[in-house]
Amino acid sequence: MLEDLKEQVCQANLDLVKHGLVTLTWGNASGISEDRQHVVIKASGVAYDDMQPRHMVVVDLDGNVVEGQLRPSSDTPTHVLLYSNFKTIGGITHTHSRFATVFAQARLEIPCLGTTHADHFYGAIPVTRPLSEEEVTEAYEVNTGQVIVERFAELAPVAMPAVLVAGHAPFAWGPTVAKSVENAVALEAVAEMALGVRQLVAEPIPLESYVLDKHFLRKHGPDAYYGQTPEK
Amino acid sequence: MLEDLKEQVCQANLDLVKHGLVTLTWGNASGISEDRQHVVIKASGVAYDDMQPRHMVVVDLDGNVVEGQLRPSSDTPTHVLLYSNFKTIGGITHTHSRFATVFAQARLEIPCLGTTHADHFYGAIPVTRPLSEEEVTEAYEVNTGQVIVERFAELAPVAMPAVLVAGHAPFAWGPTVAKSVENAVALEAVAEMALGVRQLVAEPIPLESYVLDKHFLRKHGPDAYYGQTPEK
Amino acid sequence: MLEDLKEQVCQANLDLVKHGLVTLTWGNASGISEDRQHVVIKASGVAYDDMQPRHMVVVDLDGNVVEGQLRPSSDTPTHVLLYSNFKTIGGITHTHSRFATVFAQARLEIPCLGTTHADHFYGAIPVTRPLSEEEVTEAYEVNTGQVIVERFAELAPVAMPAVLVAGHAPFAWGPTVAKSVENAVALEAVAEMALGVRQLVAEPIPLESYVLDKHFLRKHGPDAYYGQTPEK
Amino acid sequence: MLEDLKEQVCQANLDLVKHGLVTLTWGNASGISEDRQHVVIKASGVAYDDMQPRHMVVVDLDGNVVEGQLRPSSDTPTHVLLYSNFKTIGGITHTHSRFATVFAQARLEIPCLGTTHADHFYGAIPVTRPLSEEEVTEAYEVNTGQVIVERFAELAPVAMPAVLVAGHAPFAWGPTVAKSVENAVALEAVAEMALGVRQLVAEPIPLESYVLDKHFLRKHGPDAYYGQTPEK
């Protein structure tokens, strides 16, 4: 079932390696079926060298395995919870990419300092609150999703397709699994640059809001004119 | 038309990837025809993996498409305006390369701290002023070119083949599109090194002006003696 | 003799290169036989380009060569001493990987700042005391092992599979030589990220102990549920 | 003439690229003939992509071309002067490698902070004084060699096979051109790590002199026991 989606999700996982976002097996990408009933996700702890679509696991929205011999990624409950709450997203990418994780560990949001950032993220990339001891002990991966959802109470996942989980690492998403990888790549780039800027100036100047509007909307708004086939 | 130039511009765009200056589709290179009537530029948002000369778009100096099925880079108005104002340049490269963009986001010029810099840039690499809200809203890409031209009121594009647009990213240029790529590569290297120097000393010593003269002129002056075929 | 182990150790040494942990010949990996009588280790100063299992040297637990034409790694006495003292480890990796070595040279432990760290190391990665002049002059490589063992007086090698030797570089280990490489890779990643965090915040917040417990134990404890074949 | 040496020098120049020490054409390696009458060096400004032994130029110790169609590297007078003054060296490598150049631009020596450094360099890597205006105007490349020689008045080139030219970049050398590349690689690594240490501690602890002695001499002294064929 969902052979197309398995191929897309497998390719997305391999692209994480190609883009240098993954060390060892620290990363996973998933996609949701069009009817939003099933999620395809990488198996847990599997090496990337020989990954095939058949190593993808199909789960339902409660995280139960529907198809596949392998155990799904240990982060599956987080993915599933995000799909349940963010109805507009079609794919999720989780990595421990170096610079985004630096900000997650520093528990600092990534300020919007330039147009590279504004092209992908409509404002500062948020960081969650730390999980409580109870949240960690009882249902850690589900609650990781919960603190993300909580952090997005007043944020739109479409306009802000990434988050940093405090003390952990980033999650990114998008309309498709391929787009979620793209946002994870962009996130890592803007994190690296923001760290560099902080080494030059203690209090960097945030990008002017009218430039943020311009850049985000020329790529993502109804009047987008970047690329060949603007997103709807 | 302009098949040779299309090949050169395509190759230049691919070289951006080879030199590690481009993430995703963030970058574009262009060249102007010998009669300075037409500009060949990369199509907007096209992936580099499979780029061919036929993906290049020909525009006139008003930015109108003259040949090509695809939409030209969204930065085309900036390129065209620079060609109109800088009569000595034959190629332009725009990237969001990491370290040059760090300085652009920090809104700091890159001081000349060594001979690597002096071999390519005759002094500190300038940064533009930020665009006003009106400039961004009305004709953003044209005005991006305008603030560059404004910044070069007292600078010669031949002696200073690069600029940082505040809060955005670098543009580099040269007598040919290939040379503009080379200058973009050099820019990224000197930006990375300048950041490193700033981590060691708060107030780095600028390169002595007589060393700057020596290095820039041995490569670019009438008595150049670097390389096999010195530029005129 | 020990042909299987030679292949594993050879592969582990080559994997160090693949993971970017080795410059020139600065690194070596070894494995111990199941009966813990013999250690297989890379020959000293041999280039990686053409490394074969037959370049591995077999030594006994006193460091005497039992089989092999080549001189074993100059760090052999350190490896052998660690195997004698840490009865639960099956493989050792020594590198001068950039960021782990930065912390070793700074003589600072690597604090646990995030889950990437907690997935592999159960607490801050310790640094040894410097060796005394006598220790260096008399039996340098043996005493390098001794200060590591001394530092682990109250630490379990299974829970903390790495150490920084002050002014020198890291050693990592694991149940197999392949796992020791994996821990060396993880060590380098967490070192790079910890350096980044320190550039953002002077006093980073250590990971909450209950998150450390959760992450380390979900991968390594009796109830591990990460990956397909949890370690015992 | 000197076909063997041409091959070695060509290979050394290509190895600079392989080790990531060279951007564009910024780097050159040379070797001296056994009778110390001729120097083989890379041609000036030639691309590395298609470099062949026949692109090497033979010059005498006054820097005059003896064989070869191409202009030799513009740094030839510096190389030749070093060979004339440092009688024990057989090869020289000049690069603008990132981190070594950062220290050269900061005009700071690279302190010996660890054994990686001690394995190759017997103490802090020195930096020259800046050249005077007269020195730059009259015979720049010769005088670049002169300030290096001046800086080595009380240093032995065998024990300290590298130098930083203030505001410029590093030179490294060795008994052969291949060894000079190796030292350039080591130099870049220790520079990168020293910069990292400085980001963690303002005043790093220099490596104890008895460890420096131990490491340098176990690789380079008469009783060397590192590698398979210790240097004499």
Side-chain angles (χ1 to χ4, degrees), chain A residues 4-6 8-13 16 28-42 61 75-76 78-95 121 148 152 157-163 170-185 187 231:
Chain A
D4 271 11
L5 187 57
K6 278 183 205 162
Q8 290 168 41
V9 172
C10 181
Q11 187 58 50
N13 277 288
L16 294 182
N28 45 68
S30 71
I32 193 167
S33 62
E34 278 188 46
D35 63 5
R36 301 190 79 79
Q37 297 302 307
H38 296 102
V39 170
V40 173
I41 191 165
K42 206 197 73 167
L61 286 191
D75 297 305
T76 300
T78 315
H79 287 245
V80 166
L81 189 131
L82 291 179
Y83 285 119
S84 296
N85 284 274
F86 297 168
K87 305 292 191 190
T88 54
I89 71 176
I92 297 175
T93 290
H94 170 53
T95 78
F121 308 102
I148 295 173
F152 272 67
V158 166
M160 180 51 61
V163 72
F171 284 81
W173 49 78
T176 62
V177 64
K179 283 282 172 193
S180 76
V181 171
E182 217 173 290
N183 286 328
V185 170
L187 172 63
E231 305 163 32

Side-chain angles (χ1 to χ4, degrees), chain D residues 203-226:
Chain D
E203 302 274 348
I205 302 171
L207 191 67
E208 290 76 7
S209 61
Y210 52 86
V211 185
L212 173 57
D213 285 353
K214 179 71 184 177
H215 267 263
F216 192 78
L217 298 176
R218 80 172 180 171
K219 280 192 88 166
H220 306 283
D223 301 320
Y225 58 92
Y226 180 94

Side-chain angles (χ1 to χ4, degrees), chain D residues 148-217:
Chain D
I148 295 173
V149 172
E150 181 187 316
R151 184 66 188 78
F152 273 67
E154 295 174 22
L155 286 171
V158 167
M160 181 49 63
V163 71
L164 307 174
V165 177
H168 185 161
F171 284 81
W173 48 78
T176 62
V177 63
K179 283 282 173 193
S180 75
V181 171
E182 217 174 288
N183 286 327
V185 170
L187 173 63
E188 179 65 3
V190 301
E192 182 176 4
M193 296 194 293
L195 178 61
V197 175
R198 277 284 303 266
Q199 293 170 339
L200 289 173
V201 277
E203 302 274 348
I205 302 171
L207 191 67
E208 290 76 7
S209 61
Y210 52 86
V211 185
L212 173 57
D213 285 353
K214 179 71 184 177
H215 267 263
F216 192 78
L217 298 176

Side-chain angles (χ1 to χ4, degrees), chain C residues 16 21-28 42 45-46 48 75 94-98 101 169, chain D residues 115-117 119-121 182-190 193 219 226:
Chain C
L16 294 182
L21 298 189
V22 164
T23 300
L24 299 173
T25 60
W26 312 338
N28 45 69
K42 205 197 73 165
V46 162
Y48 288 86
D75 297 305
H94 171 53
T95 77
H96 289 208
S97 67
R98 289 297 189 280
T101 304
Chain D
T115 61
T116 321
H117 187 122
D119 280 334
H120 292 83
F121 309 103
E182 217 174 288
N183 286 327
V185 170
L187 173 63
E188 179 65 3
V190 301
M193 296 194 293
K219 280 192 88 166
Y226 180 94

Side-chain angles (χ1 to χ4, degrees), chain D residues 79-153:
Chain D
H79 287 244
V80 166
L81 190 132
L82 291 179
Y83 285 119
S84 296
N85 283 272
F86 296 168
K87 304 293 190 188
T88 53
I89 71 175
I92 298 175
T93 291
H94 171 53
T95 77
H96 288 209
S97 66
R98 288 297 188 280
F99 294 99
T101 304
V102 162
F103 276 87
Q105 290 190 357
R107 305 181 184 208
L108 292 175
E109 63 179 28
I110 304 175
C112 179
L113 301 176
T115 61
T116 321
H117 187 122
D119 280 334
H120 292 83
F121 309 103
Y122 196 50
I125 292 157
V127 56
T128 68
R129 66 165 172 80
L131 279 75
S132 70
E133 180 158 8
E134 204 184 332
E135 285 167 336
V136 168
T137 313
E138 291 194 359
Y140 176 55
E141 290 84 3
V142 171
N143 287 324
T144 297
Q146 288 291 10
V147 295
I148 295 173
V149 172
E150 181 187 316
R151 184 66 188 78
F152 273 67

Side-chain angles (χ1 to χ4, degrees), chain B residues 130-162:
Chain B
L131 278 75
S132 69
E133 179 158 7
E134 205 184 331
E135 286 167 335
V136 168
T137 312
E138 292 194 359
Y140 175 55
E141 291 83 4
V142 171
N143 287 325
T144 297
Q146 289 291 10
V147 293
I148 295 173
V149 171
E150 181 186 317
R151 184 66 188 78
F152 271 67
E154 295 175 22
L155 286 170
V158 167
M160 181 49 62

Side-chain angles (χ1 to χ4, degrees), chain A residues 115-155:
Chain A
T115 60
T116 322
H117 187 121
D119 280 335
H120 292 83
F121 308 102
Y122 196 52
I125 292 156
V127 55
T128 68
R129 66 166 172 81
L131 277 75
S132 70
E133 180 159 6
E134 203 183 333
E135 285 167 336
V136 168
T137 313
E138 292 194 358
Y140 176 55
E141 291 83 4
V142 171
N143 287 325
T144 297
Q146 289 291 10
V147 293
I148 295 173
V149 171
E150 180 186 316
R151 184 67 187 78
F152 272 67
E154 295 175 22
L155 286 170

